[in-house]
Amino acid sequence: MRDVPEEVLRKLAGLYNQAKKKPSAPDGPLPIWIRNINEMDKIELEHETRDTIRTCKELKRKFGIMQHEGEKYVQGRTRREQMIEDIRREWSLQSYYLYSLFLRSGVETSEDEFDEFIKEETGNKGFITNLKIKY
């Protein structure tokens, strides 16, 4: 097990604030759940990883539904586009959280390699994880 670098935790906090539509200060305090990543033991890490992969799969499913059949569920185009954008923000947060968990477990991987992994795990090679975005 390894500690997740501070820069990764800060980026995760930025993605969290963006997904929750909160103002973000780059040097502000990290949320407790982000600070606790480096305190996770192996069992907690395994559970969080499994849950996060499941969440990513669910978000990918929702994204596909909204893109292809969204007009059935949400009549207003603007509202539908907003929901798709919210799903994308949540996707970025969850996929980067999963990347952080992998780093904590000791897996040495780059953001590019992880992009390929998450595309495989969620069953959609065309979906972009946006890990390279700077926050």
PDB file of all heavy atoms in Angstrom, residues 103-133:
ATOM      1  N   LEU A 103      -3.962   3.901  -6.910  1.00  0.00           N
ATOM      2  CA  LEU A 103      -2.664   4.396  -6.441  1.00  0.00           C
ATOM      3  C   LEU A 103      -2.433   3.983  -4.990  1.00  0.00           C
ATOM      4  O   LEU A 103      -1.332   3.575  -4.622  1.00  0.00           O
ATOM      5  CB  LEU A 103      -2.572   5.913  -6.592  1.00  0.00           C
ATOM      6  CG  LEU A 103      -2.566   6.456  -8.020  1.00  0.00           C
ATOM      7  CD1 LEU A 103      -2.518   7.979  -7.999  1.00  0.00           C
ATOM      8  CD2 LEU A 103      -1.398   5.894  -8.819  1.00  0.00           C
ATOM      9  N   ARG A 104      -3.464   4.088  -4.158  1.00  0.00           N
ATOM     10  CA  ARG A 104      -3.352   3.706  -2.748  1.00  0.00           C
ATOM     11  C   ARG A 104      -3.003   2.228  -2.611  1.00  0.00           C
ATOM     12  O   ARG A 104      -2.231   1.834  -1.740  1.00  0.00           O
ATOM     13  CB  ARG A 104      -4.653   4.017  -2.010  1.00  0.00           C
ATOM     14  CG  ARG A 104      -4.735   3.490  -0.602  1.00  0.00           C
ATOM     15  CD  ARG A 104      -3.796   4.206   0.329  1.00  0.00           C
ATOM     16  NE  ARG A 104      -3.930   3.666   1.685  1.00  0.00           N
ATOM     17  CZ  ARG A 104      -2.926   3.530   2.506  1.00  0.00           C
ATOM     18  NH1 ARG A 104      -1.720   3.910   2.152  1.00  0.00           N
ATOM     19  NH2 ARG A 104      -3.112   3.043   3.710  1.00  0.00           N
ATOM     20  N   SER A 105      -3.560   1.394  -3.477  1.00  0.00           N
ATOM     21  CA  SER A 105      -3.308  -0.042  -3.386  1.00  0.00           C
ATOM     22  C   SER A 105      -1.906  -0.419  -3.862  1.00  0.00           C
ATOM     23  O   SER A 105      -1.504  -1.560  -3.709  1.00  0.00           O
ATOM     24  CB  SER A 105      -4.356  -0.816  -4.174  1.00  0.00           C
ATOM     25  OG  SER A 105      -4.185  -0.611  -5.554  1.00  0.00           O
ATOM     26  N   GLY A 106      -1.191   0.533  -4.430  1.00  0.00           N
ATOM     27  CA  GLY A 106       0.175   0.265  -4.865  1.00  0.00           C
ATOM     28  C   GLY A 106       0.323   0.015  -6.350  1.00  0.00           C
ATOM     29  O   GLY A 106       1.425  -0.247  -6.827  1.00  0.00           O
ATOM     30  N   VAL A 107      -0.758   0.080  -7.089  1.00  0.00           N
ATOM     31  CA  VAL A 107      -0.693  -0.108  -8.537  1.00  0.00           C
ATOM     32  C   VAL A 107      -0.070   1.137  -9.159  1.00  0.00           C
ATOM     33  O   VAL A 107      -0.559   2.243  -8.967  1.00  0.00           O
ATOM     34  CB  VAL A 107      -2.100  -0.349  -9.134  1.00  0.00           C
ATOM     35  CG1 VAL A 107      -2.041  -0.404 -10.651  1.00  0.00           C
ATOM     36  CG2 VAL A 107      -2.718  -1.600  -8.560  1.00  0.00           C
ATOM     37  N   GLU A 108       1.030   0.928  -9.858  1.00  0.00           N
ATOM     38  CA  GLU A 108       1.667   2.052 -10.532  1.00  0.00           C
ATOM     39  C   GLU A 108       1.064   2.160 -11.929  1.00  0.00           C
ATOM     40  O   GLU A 108       1.258   1.280 -12.768  1.00  0.00           O
ATOM     41  CB  GLU A 108       3.174   1.846 -10.611  1.00  0.00           C
ATOM     42  CG  GLU A 108       3.843   1.941  -9.257  1.00  0.00           C
ATOM     43  CD  GLU A 108       5.347   1.912  -9.362  1.00  0.00           C
ATOM     44  OE1 GLU A 108       5.896   2.440 -10.353  1.00  0.00           O
ATOM     45  OE2 GLU A 108       5.960   1.350  -8.452  1.00  0.00           O
ATOM     46  N   THR A 109       0.332   3.229 -12.135  1.00  0.00           N
ATOM     47  CA  THR A 109      -0.321   3.430 -13.427  1.00  0.00           C
ATOM     48  C   THR A 109      -0.374   4.915 -13.731  1.00  0.00           C
ATOM     49  O   THR A 109      -0.421   5.741 -12.829  1.00  0.00           O
ATOM     50  CB  THR A 109      -1.745   2.819 -13.431  1.00  0.00           C
ATOM     51  OG1 THR A 109      -2.300   2.958 -14.731  1.00  0.00           O
ATOM     52  CG2 THR A 109      -2.648   3.468 -12.415  1.00  0.00           C
ATOM     53  N   SER A 110      -0.351   5.214 -15.003  1.00  0.00           N
ATOM     54  CA  SER A 110      -0.502   6.610 -15.426  1.00  0.00           C
ATOM     55  C   SER A 110      -1.981   6.884 -15.648  1.00  0.00           C
ATOM     56  O   SER A 110      -2.799   5.957 -15.712  1.00  0.00           O
ATOM     57  CB  SER A 110       0.273   6.852 -16.728  1.00  0.00           C
ATOM     58  OG  SER A 110      -0.344   6.155 -17.793  1.00  0.00           O
ATOM     59  N   GLU A 111      -2.330   8.147 -15.783  1.00  0.00           N
ATOM     60  CA  GLU A 111      -3.727   8.487 -16.056  1.00  0.00           C
ATOM     61  C   GLU A 111      -4.169   7.905 -17.394  1.00  0.00           C
ATOM     62  O   GLU A 111      -5.300   7.449 -17.522  1.00  0.00           O
ATOM     63  CB  GLU A 111      -3.917  10.001 -16.013  1.00  0.00           C
ATOM     64  CG  GLU A 111      -3.802  10.569 -14.612  1.00  0.00           C
ATOM     65  CD  GLU A 111      -3.977  12.076 -14.545  1.00  0.00           C
ATOM     66  OE1 GLU A 111      -3.957  12.746 -15.600  1.00  0.00           O
ATOM     67  OE2 GLU A 111      -4.125  12.579 -13.426  1.00  0.00           O
ATOM     68  N   ASP A 112      -3.281   7.886 -18.392  1.00  0.00           N
ATOM     69  CA  ASP A 112      -3.622   7.310 -19.701  1.00  0.00           C
ATOM     70  C   ASP A 112      -3.910   5.812 -19.609  1.00  0.00           C
ATOM     71  O   ASP A 112      -4.879   5.323 -20.184  1.00  0.00           O
ATOM     72  CB  ASP A 112      -2.484   7.529 -20.710  1.00  0.00           C
ATOM     73  CG  ASP A 112      -2.371   8.975 -21.161  1.00  0.00           C
ATOM     74  OD1 ASP A 112      -3.372   9.712 -21.075  1.00  0.00           O
ATOM     75  OD2 ASP A 112      -1.270   9.359 -21.598  1.00  0.00           O
ATOM     76  N   GLU A 113      -3.046   5.086 -18.884  1.00  0.00           N
ATOM     77  CA  GLU A 113      -3.269   3.650 -18.723  1.00  0.00           C
ATOM     78  C   GLU A 113      -4.570   3.389 -17.967  1.00  0.00           C
ATOM     79  O   GLU A 113      -5.303   2.460 -18.272  1.00  0.00           O
ATOM     80  CB  GLU A 113      -2.103   3.011 -17.968  1.00  0.00           C
ATOM     81  CG  GLU A 113      -0.824   2.959 -18.759  1.00  0.00           C
ATOM     82  CD  GLU A 113       0.371   2.576 -17.906  1.00  0.00           C
ATOM     83  OE1 GLU A 113       0.328   2.728 -16.669  1.00  0.00           O
ATOM     84  OE2 GLU A 113       1.363   2.130 -18.495  1.00  0.00           O
ATOM     85  N   PHE A 114      -4.834   4.233 -16.994  1.00  0.00           N
ATOM     86  CA  PHE A 114      -6.056   4.051 -16.225  1.00  0.00           C
ATOM     87  C   PHE A 114      -7.284   4.349 -17.071  1.00  0.00           C
ATOM     88  O   PHE A 114      -8.312   3.698 -16.924  1.00  0.00           O
ATOM     89  CB  PHE A 114      -6.054   4.907 -14.958  1.00  0.00           C
ATOM     90  CG  PHE A 114      -7.169   4.531 -14.044  1.00  0.00           C
ATOM     91  CD1 PHE A 114      -7.082   3.397 -13.261  1.00  0.00           C
ATOM     92  CD2 PHE A 114      -8.334   5.273 -14.001  1.00  0.00           C
ATOM     93  CE1 PHE A 114      -8.121   3.010 -12.442  1.00  0.00           C
ATOM     94  CE2 PHE A 114      -9.382   4.902 -13.185  1.00  0.00           C
ATOM     95  CZ  PHE A 114      -9.276   3.770 -12.399  1.00  0.00           C
ATOM     96  N   ASP A 115      -7.186   5.331 -17.960  1.00  0.00           N
ATOM     97  CA  ASP A 115      -8.284   5.607 -18.895  1.00  0.00           C
ATOM     98  C   ASP A 115      -8.663   4.341 -19.650  1.00  0.00           C
ATOM     99  O   ASP A 115      -9.839   4.014 -19.785  1.00  0.00           O
ATOM    100  CB  ASP A 115      -7.888   6.681 -19.904  1.00  0.00           C
ATOM    101  CG  ASP A 115      -8.155   8.087 -19.430  1.00  0.00           C
ATOM    102  OD1 ASP A 115      -8.892   8.265 -18.449  1.00  0.00           O
ATOM    103  OD2 ASP A 115      -7.624   9.021 -20.058  1.00  0.00           O
ATOM    104  N   GLU A 116      -7.656   3.625 -20.139  1.00  0.00           N
ATOM    105  CA  GLU A 116      -7.918   2.396 -20.881  1.00  0.00           C
ATOM    106  C   GLU A 116      -8.576   1.344 -19.989  1.00  0.00           C
ATOM    107  O   GLU A 116      -9.501   0.664 -20.408  1.00  0.00           O
ATOM    108  CB  GLU A 116      -6.623   1.839 -21.491  1.00  0.00           C
ATOM    109  CG  GLU A 116      -6.083   2.682 -22.615  1.00  0.00           C
ATOM    110  CD  GLU A 116      -7.082   2.910 -23.733  1.00  0.00           C
ATOM    111  OE1 GLU A 116      -7.740   1.934 -24.163  1.00  0.00           O
ATOM    112  OE2 GLU A 116      -7.227   4.059 -24.176  1.00  0.00           O
ATOM    113  N   PHE A 117      -8.109   1.217 -18.753  1.00  0.00           N
ATOM    114  CA  PHE A 117      -8.685   0.254 -17.828  1.00  0.00           C
ATOM    115  C   PHE A 117     -10.164   0.553 -17.567  1.00  0.00           C
ATOM    116  O   PHE A 117     -11.001  -0.342 -17.639  1.00  0.00           O
ATOM    117  CB  PHE A 117      -7.912   0.254 -16.499  1.00  0.00           C
ATOM    118  CG  PHE A 117      -8.649  -0.472 -15.407  1.00  0.00           C
ATOM    119  CD1 PHE A 117      -8.661  -1.848 -15.359  1.00  0.00           C
ATOM    120  CD2 PHE A 117      -9.356   0.229 -14.440  1.00  0.00           C
ATOM    121  CE1 PHE A 117      -9.356  -2.529 -14.363  1.00  0.00           C
ATOM    122  CE2 PHE A 117     -10.052  -0.438 -13.441  1.00  0.00           C
ATOM    123  CZ  PHE A 117     -10.053  -1.814 -13.411  1.00  0.00           C
ATOM    124  N   ILE A 118     -10.490   1.801 -17.256  1.00  0.00           N
ATOM    125  CA  ILE A 118     -11.877   2.130 -16.892  1.00  0.00           C
ATOM    126  C   ILE A 118     -12.804   1.962 -18.090  1.00  0.00           C
ATOM    127  O   ILE A 118     -13.948   1.559 -17.943  1.00  0.00           O
ATOM    128  CB  ILE A 118     -11.984   3.536 -16.249  1.00  0.00           C
ATOM    129  CG1 ILE A 118     -13.338   3.736 -15.560  1.00  0.00           C
ATOM    130  CG2 ILE A 118     -11.772   4.644 -17.249  1.00  0.00           C
ATOM    131  CD1 ILE A 118     -13.529   2.937 -14.331  1.00  0.00           C
ATOM    132  N   LYS A 119     -12.301   2.221 -19.283  1.00  0.00           N
ATOM    133  CA  LYS A 119     -13.108   1.987 -20.480  1.00  0.00           C
ATOM    134  C   LYS A 119     -13.438   0.503 -20.620  1.00  0.00           C
ATOM    135  O   LYS A 119     -14.558   0.138 -20.955  1.00  0.00           O
ATOM    136  CB  LYS A 119     -12.379   2.497 -21.720  1.00  0.00           C
ATOM    137  CG  LYS A 119     -12.298   3.996 -21.806  1.00  0.00           C
ATOM    138  CD  LYS A 119     -11.443   4.412 -22.979  1.00  0.00           C
ATOM    139  CE  LYS A 119     -11.112   5.880 -22.924  1.00  0.00           C
ATOM    140  NZ  LYS A 119     -10.187   6.269 -23.992  1.00  0.00           N
ATOM    141  N   GLU A 120     -12.453  -0.342 -20.353  1.00  0.00           N
ATOM    142  CA  GLU A 120     -12.669  -1.792 -20.408  1.00  0.00           C
ATOM    143  C   GLU A 120     -13.656  -2.239 -19.334  1.00  0.00           C
ATOM    144  O   GLU A 120     -14.569  -3.012 -19.598  1.00  0.00           O
ATOM    145  CB  GLU A 120     -11.351  -2.543 -20.213  1.00  0.00           C
ATOM    146  CG  GLU A 120     -10.434  -2.487 -21.400  1.00  0.00           C
ATOM    147  CD  GLU A 120     -10.921  -3.349 -22.549  1.00  0.00           C
ATOM    148  OE1 GLU A 120     -11.541  -4.396 -22.308  1.00  0.00           O
ATOM    149  OE2 GLU A 120     -10.676  -2.950 -23.699  1.00  0.00           O
ATOM    150  N   GLU A 121     -13.464  -1.776 -18.110  1.00  0.00           N
ATOM    151  CA  GLU A 121     -14.295  -2.213 -16.983  1.00  0.00           C
ATOM    152  C   GLU A 121     -15.754  -1.797 -17.123  1.00  0.00           C
ATOM    153  O   GLU A 121     -16.637  -2.479 -16.645  1.00  0.00           O
ATOM    154  CB  GLU A 121     -13.743  -1.661 -15.662  1.00  0.00           C
ATOM    155  CG  GLU A 121     -12.606  -2.450 -15.112  1.00  0.00           C
ATOM    156  CD  GLU A 121     -12.976  -3.886 -14.790  1.00  0.00           C
ATOM    157  OE1 GLU A 121     -13.976  -4.124 -14.088  1.00  0.00           O
ATOM    158  OE2 GLU A 121     -12.252  -4.777 -15.252  1.00  0.00           O
ATOM    159  N   THR A 122     -16.001  -0.662 -17.741  1.00  0.00           N
ATOM    160  CA  THR A 122     -17.369  -0.191 -17.874  1.00  0.00           C
ATOM    161  C   THR A 122     -18.017  -0.670 -19.167  1.00  0.00           C
ATOM    162  O   THR A 122     -19.176  -0.392 -19.414  1.00  0.00           O
ATOM    163  CB  THR A 122     -17.452   1.346 -17.796  1.00  0.00           C
ATOM    164  OG1 THR A 122     -16.629   1.905 -18.816  1.00  0.00           O
ATOM    165  CG2 THR A 122     -17.015   1.845 -16.436  1.00  0.00           C
ATOM    166  N   GLY A 123     -17.247  -1.371 -19.996  1.00  0.00           N
ATOM    167  CA  GLY A 123     -17.816  -1.960 -21.198  1.00  0.00           C
ATOM    168  C   GLY A 123     -18.056  -0.974 -22.321  1.00  0.00           C
ATOM    169  O   GLY A 123     -18.850  -1.226 -23.208  1.00  0.00           O
ATOM    170  N   ASN A 124     -17.375   0.140 -22.308  1.00  0.00           N
ATOM    171  CA  ASN A 124     -17.563   1.120 -23.369  1.00  0.00           C
ATOM    172  C   ASN A 124     -16.237   1.779 -23.680  1.00  0.00           C
ATOM    173  O   ASN A 124     -15.797   2.667 -22.982  1.00  0.00           O
ATOM    174  CB  ASN A 124     -18.593   2.163 -22.956  1.00  0.00           C
ATOM    175  CG  ASN A 124     -18.988   3.064 -24.093  1.00  0.00           C
ATOM    176  OD1 ASN A 124     -18.338   3.109 -25.131  1.00  0.00           O
ATOM    177  ND2 ASN A 124     -20.057   3.797 -23.907  1.00  0.00           N
ATOM    178  N   LYS A 125     -15.606   1.346 -24.750  1.00  0.00           N
ATOM    179  CA  LYS A 125     -14.294   1.873 -25.098  1.00  0.00           C
ATOM    180  C   LYS A 125     -14.343   3.314 -25.593  1.00  0.00           C
ATOM    181  O   LYS A 125     -13.342   3.990 -25.634  1.00  0.00           O
ATOM    182  CB  LYS A 125     -13.647   0.979 -26.141  1.00  0.00           C
ATOM    183  CG  LYS A 125     -13.316  -0.398 -25.618  1.00  0.00           C
ATOM    184  CD  LYS A 125     -12.724  -1.229 -26.720  1.00  0.00           C
ATOM    185  CE  LYS A 125     -12.327  -2.614 -26.331  1.00  0.00           C
ATOM    186  NZ  LYS A 125     -13.014  -3.333 -25.360  1.00  0.00           N
ATOM    187  N   GLY A 126     -15.517   3.799 -25.959  1.00  0.00           N
ATOM    188  CA  GLY A 126     -15.629   5.152 -26.489  1.00  0.00           C
ATOM    189  C   GLY A 126     -15.849   6.215 -25.437  1.00  0.00           C
ATOM    190  O   GLY A 126     -15.776   7.394 -25.732  1.00  0.00           O
ATOM    191  N   PHE A 127     -16.128   5.829 -24.211  1.00  0.00           N
ATOM    192  CA  PHE A 127     -16.424   6.814 -23.183  1.00  0.00           C
ATOM    193  C   PHE A 127     -15.131   7.369 -22.617  1.00  0.00           C
ATOM    194  O   PHE A 127     -14.234   6.635 -22.257  1.00  0.00           O
ATOM    195  CB  PHE A 127     -17.263   6.182 -22.067  1.00  0.00           C
ATOM    196  CG  PHE A 127     -17.991   7.200 -21.255  1.00  0.00           C
ATOM    197  CD1 PHE A 127     -19.212   7.696 -21.681  1.00  0.00           C
ATOM    198  CD2 PHE A 127     -17.452   7.697 -20.095  1.00  0.00           C
ATOM    199  CE1 PHE A 127     -19.880   8.629 -20.939  1.00  0.00           C
ATOM    200  CE2 PHE A 127     -18.109   8.642 -19.341  1.00  0.00           C
ATOM    201  CZ  PHE A 127     -19.327   9.110 -19.778  1.00  0.00           C
ATOM    202  N   ILE A 128     -15.036   8.678 -22.557  1.00  0.00           N
ATOM    203  CA  ILE A 128     -13.809   9.340 -22.110  1.00  0.00           C
ATOM    204  C   ILE A 128     -13.893   9.612 -20.621  1.00  0.00           C
ATOM    205  O   ILE A 128     -14.867  10.179 -20.139  1.00  0.00           O
ATOM    206  CB  ILE A 128     -13.612  10.652 -22.886  1.00  0.00           C
ATOM    207  CG1 ILE A 128     -13.485  10.340 -24.381  1.00  0.00           C
ATOM    208  CG2 ILE A 128     -12.389  11.400 -22.380  1.00  0.00           C
ATOM    209  CD1 ILE A 128     -13.546  11.544 -25.270  1.00  0.00           C
ATOM    210  N   THR A 129     -12.858   9.241 -19.878  1.00  0.00           N
ATOM    211  CA  THR A 129     -12.891   9.426 -18.436  1.00  0.00           C
ATOM    212  C   THR A 129     -12.474  10.824 -18.002  1.00  0.00           C
ATOM    213  O   THR A 129     -12.699  11.203 -16.877  1.00  0.00           O
ATOM    214  CB  THR A 129     -11.988   8.405 -17.724  1.00  0.00           C
ATOM    215  OG1 THR A 129     -10.655   8.605 -18.150  1.00  0.00           O
ATOM    216  CG2 THR A 129     -12.429   6.996 -18.014  1.00  0.00           C
ATOM    217  N   ASN A 130     -11.833  11.554 -18.846  1.00  0.00           N
ATOM    218  CA  ASN A 130     -11.439  12.936 -18.549  1.00  0.00           C
ATOM    219  C   ASN A 130     -10.460  13.065 -17.397  1.00  0.00           C
ATOM    220  O   ASN A 130     -10.461  14.045 -16.680  1.00  0.00           O
ATOM    221  CB  ASN A 130     -12.674  13.804 -18.237  1.00  0.00           C
ATOM    222  CG  ASN A 130     -13.603  13.900 -19.415  1.00  0.00           C
ATOM    223  OD1 ASN A 130     -13.145  13.958 -20.543  1.00  0.00           O
ATOM    224  ND2 ASN A 130     -14.888  13.894 -19.161  1.00  0.00           N
ATOM    225  N   LEU A 131      -9.595  12.081 -17.198  1.00  0.00           N
ATOM    226  CA  LEU A 131      -8.647  12.176 -16.090  1.00  0.00           C
ATOM    227  C   LEU A 131      -7.589  13.246 -16.318  1.00  0.00           C
ATOM    228  O   LEU A 131      -7.001  13.730 -15.379  1.00  0.00           O
ATOM    229  CB  LEU A 131      -7.956  10.826 -15.877  1.00  0.00           C
ATOM    230  CG  LEU A 131      -8.841   9.697 -15.387  1.00  0.00           C
ATOM    231  CD1 LEU A 131      -8.016   8.439 -15.156  1.00  0.00           C
ATOM    232  CD2 LEU A 131      -9.575  10.070 -14.124  1.00  0.00           C
ATOM    233  N   LYS A 132      -7.338  13.601 -17.542  1.00  0.00           N
ATOM    234  CA  LYS A 132      -6.292  14.585 -17.842  1.00  0.00           C
ATOM    235  C   LYS A 132      -6.744  16.031 -17.585  1.00  0.00           C
ATOM    236  O   LYS A 132      -5.931  16.939 -17.620  1.00  0.00           O
ATOM    237  CB  LYS A 132      -5.855  14.458 -19.296  1.00  0.00           C
ATOM    238  CG  LYS A 132      -5.077  13.195 -19.561  1.00  0.00           C
ATOM    239  CD  LYS A 132      -3.649  13.456 -19.251  1.00  0.00           C
ATOM    240  CE  LYS A 132      -2.828  12.249 -19.655  1.00  0.00           C
ATOM    241  NZ  LYS A 132      -1.455  12.442 -19.413  1.00  0.00           N
ATOM    242  N   ILE A 133      -8.019  16.260 -17.343  1.00  0.00           N
ATOM    243  CA  ILE A 133      -8.507  17.611 -17.101  1.00  0.00           C
ATOM    244  C   ILE A 133      -7.863  18.176 -15.839  1.00  0.00           C
ATOM    245  O   ILE A 133      -7.751  17.505 -14.833  1.00  0.00           O
ATOM    246  CB  ILE A 133     -10.048  17.628 -16.938  1.00  0.00           C
ATOM    247  CG1 ILE A 133     -10.694  17.243 -18.266  1.00  0.00           C
ATOM    248  CG2 ILE A 133     -10.541  18.994 -16.484  1.00  0.00           C
ATOM    249  CD1 ILE A 133     -12.187  17.079 -18.168  1.00  0.00           C
TER     250      ILE A 133
END
